[in-house]
Amino acid sequence: MKTPRSAATRTKLLEAARDIIRARGYSATTVDDICAAAGVTKGSFFHHFPSKEQLGIAAIEQFNETASEIFRSAPYTSRPDPRDRVLGYVDFRISMLTREIAQFTCLLGTMVQEVYATHPDLRAACDQGMSEHVADLTRDIQAAKQRYTPDAPWSAESVGYFMQAVLQGAFIFAKAKQDTRVAVESLGHLRRYLEMLLGQPETGKEPTPCRT
Amino acid sequence: MKTPRSAATRTKLLEAARDIIRARGYSATTVDDICAAAGVTKGSFFHHFPSKEQLGIAAIEQFNETASEIFRSAPYTSRPDPRDRVLGYVDFRISMLTREIAQFTCLLGTMVQEVYATHPDLRAACDQGMSEHVADLTRDIQAAKQRYTPDAPWSAESVGYFMQAVLQGAFIFAKAKQDTRVAVESLGHLRRYLEMLLGQPETGKEPTPCRT
DNA sequence: GTCAAAAAACCAACCAGTTGGTATATTACT
DNA sequence: AGTAATATACCAACTGGTTGGTTTTTTGAC
């Protein structure tokens, strides 16, 4: 962080790591791969990061910060009704599915699958990052619950985790099929479920039948 | 398949691959790891499989066959009402979450995340295996739809994929948290959504309110 | 004895991480 | 301001160990 050049190199390494790991996973990504993509030598790599694992942790943190900013500055966050914000989040994620696969998938979800049993620090970083994002979501869900269905038997947090689970599963099918249609339809089902959980908007008209 | 001993060695290698890859992922799993776990030398490994990738494909196929048998012989499949079979499937998967993480997670979902961009044959095998399982599920969903909500706007297949997406996402959180509570709650949300989609059982009583 | 199966020894390529050193800043003193 | 001292940023070459895969040898069933 001292010189601008140093910060730029560090950022290039983190971005290269983010992109390559999202495409190939953590284990299959070599330090040489990351250095080549960042246009940096291995000596420089190990000047900035003490190990591949520490780079992984830094990449997770940076990915989470970037993601937080994207969602914090997304248009739906300014809607006054928390229910609209929750559904707007889902719509926003559906709209992201038009990009390349490696551009909308989750670095943390990809990594934790292969490192949870062997790299405790990486696992913990992924857990923390995903839980923070769920906590952000949970705030809007809780507000919507309070307003529309305060006595519902489910917890706002469990719905936040459920939303992330659907997203992570949708990413897996997008990768397996090299196609986002299943992912789009799955997020559509998620949206329908949330509409049902959070009830109808405050206009007070009859709820649509459950079956539709 | 020639001698019984040969078949036993092959099975041991496939089972070792299945267990280690589920815990550490495909790339981080070495041929030596698999040989050690199977109690077999490397020379023997390459007598049975021409490459690590071919072993991976064989492991995917065997995993899928084993899984098919488990679900085909599960108690819920004998229920007469297709809606009960669909919900029974979810309950059965919830009950599986009491085992060790590496015993209930999906080899295919774990693998496809890290190989989809680099190993086309593995990706295709995972896609096919997951799609076959969805097709099995879709049959019951379609039957339940026909019986209870034939005009609903969603397709049975998209619901089948949605169910698998929730499962895969639940596995990711089980790994990240080293705890199945989030997974159990997510499958609970999935169950509630399916109850809503498939309507109420044929007893003809009033539907419970959507919000509960 | 023959031939498939298993073992043992081996290999070239590759891996994460080190080395010893050079370039480029930043600071400190005059 | 000028410049010596110091710290940071960077790099090419190297290392010990590991990788997927091969070759050669031994075992064991018929």
Side-chain angles (χ1 to χ4, degrees), chain A residues 21-28 101-102 105-106 108-118 123-124 126-127 130-131 134 148-149 152-155 157-159 161-162 164-166 168-178 182 185-190 192-193 196-200 207-212, chain B residues 21-28 101-102 105-106 108-118 123-124 126-127 130-131 134 148-149 152-155 157-159 161-162 164-166 168-178 182 185-190 192-193 196-200 207-212:
Chain A
I21 294 174
R22 274 207 282 190
R24 297 185 222 164
Y26 176 78
S27 302
I101 289 180
T105 50
C106 176
L108 283 62
T110 301
M111 282 183 78
V112 78
Q113 287 241 39
E114 40 174 338
V115 304
Y116 78 97
T118 49
R123 196 222 94 240
C126 291
D127 178 22
M130 297 201 292
S131 298
V134 168
Y148 296 113
T149 64
W154 42 266
S155 77
E157 189 186 41
S158 77
V159 174
Y161 277 113
F162 177 68
Q164 289 308 302
V166 175
Q168 297 289 348
F171 295 157
I172 288 180
F173 277 106
K175 290 173 181 173
K177 299 209 159 288
Q178 306 272 60
V182 164
E185 285 181 341
S186 289
L187 294 191
H189 282 292
L190 171 63
R192 189 196 332 257
Y193 179 59
M196 159 198 145
L197 277 192
L198 301 176
Q200 293 302 308
T208 51
C210 285
R211 288 193 183 79
T212 50
Chain B
I21 294 174
R22 275 208 281 191
R24 298 185 223 164
Y26 176 78
S27 302
I101 289 180
T105 51
C106 175
L108 283 60
T110 302
M111 282 183 79
V112 77
Q113 286 241 38
E114 41 174 337
V115 304
Y116 78 98
T118 49
R123 195 221 94 240
C126 291
D127 178 23
M130 297 200 292
S131 298
V134 168
Y148 295 113
T149 64
W154 42 267
S155 76
E157 189 186 42
S158 78
V159 174
Y161 277 114
F162 178 69
Q164 288 309 302
V166 175
Q168 297 289 348
F171 296 158
I172 288 180
F173 277 105
K175 290 173 181 173
K177 300 211 159 289
Q178 306 271 61
V182 164
E185 285 180 341
S186 288
L187 293 191
H189 282 292
L190 171 62
R192 188 196 332 258
Y193 179 59
M196 161 199 145
L197 278 192
L198 300 177
Q200 292 302 309
T208 50
C210 287
R211 288 193 182 80
T212 49

Side-chain angles (χ1 to χ4, degrees), chain A residues 48-126:
Chain A
H48 288 279
F49 301 100
S51 68
K52 183 189 174 185
E53 182 167 3
Q54 282 301 313
L55 164 84
I57 291 175
I60 289 166
E61 288 168 356
Q62 198 220 234
F63 181 85
N64 241 33
E65 281 166 25
T66 305
S68 286
E69 277 168 35
I70 289 173
F71 293 118
R72 193 162 34 235
S73 66
Y76 67 84
T77 53
S78 57
R79 298 186 193 166
D81 187 332
R83 179 183 183 274
D84 288 341
R85 292 200 295 275
V86 173
L87 297 176
Y89 172 84
V90 177
D91 293 335
F92 185 61
R93 302 232 51 163
I94 291 173
S95 75
M96 288 172 72
L97 296 177
T98 53
R99 302 182 205 168
E100 286 295 303
I101 289 180
Q103 297 302 310
F104 63 72
T105 50
C106 176
L107 177 71
L108 283 62
T110 301
M111 282 183 78
V112 78
Q113 287 241 39
E114 40 174 338
V115 304
Y116 78 97
T118 49
H119 298 72
D121 293 346
L122 286 176
R123 196 222 94 240
C126 291

Side-chain angles (χ1 to χ4, degrees), chain B residues 8-67:
Chain B
T9 302
R10 196 186 137 93
T11 299
K12 271 199 293 184
L13 284 169
L14 287 172
E15 287 175 353
R18 179 238 291 151
D19 292 341
I20 303 179
I21 294 174
R22 275 208 281 191
R24 298 185 223 164
Y26 176 78
S27 302
T29 300
T30 70
V31 175
D32 282 325
D33 289 339
I34 296 168
C35 292
V40 160
T41 62
K42 215 191 251 194
S44 186
F45 177 100
F46 282 101
H47 173 76
H48 287 278
F49 301 100
S51 68
K52 182 188 174 185
E53 183 167 2
Q54 283 300 313
L55 163 84
I57 291 175
I60 289 166
E61 288 168 356
Q62 197 221 233
F63 181 84
N64 241 32
E65 281 165 27
T66 306

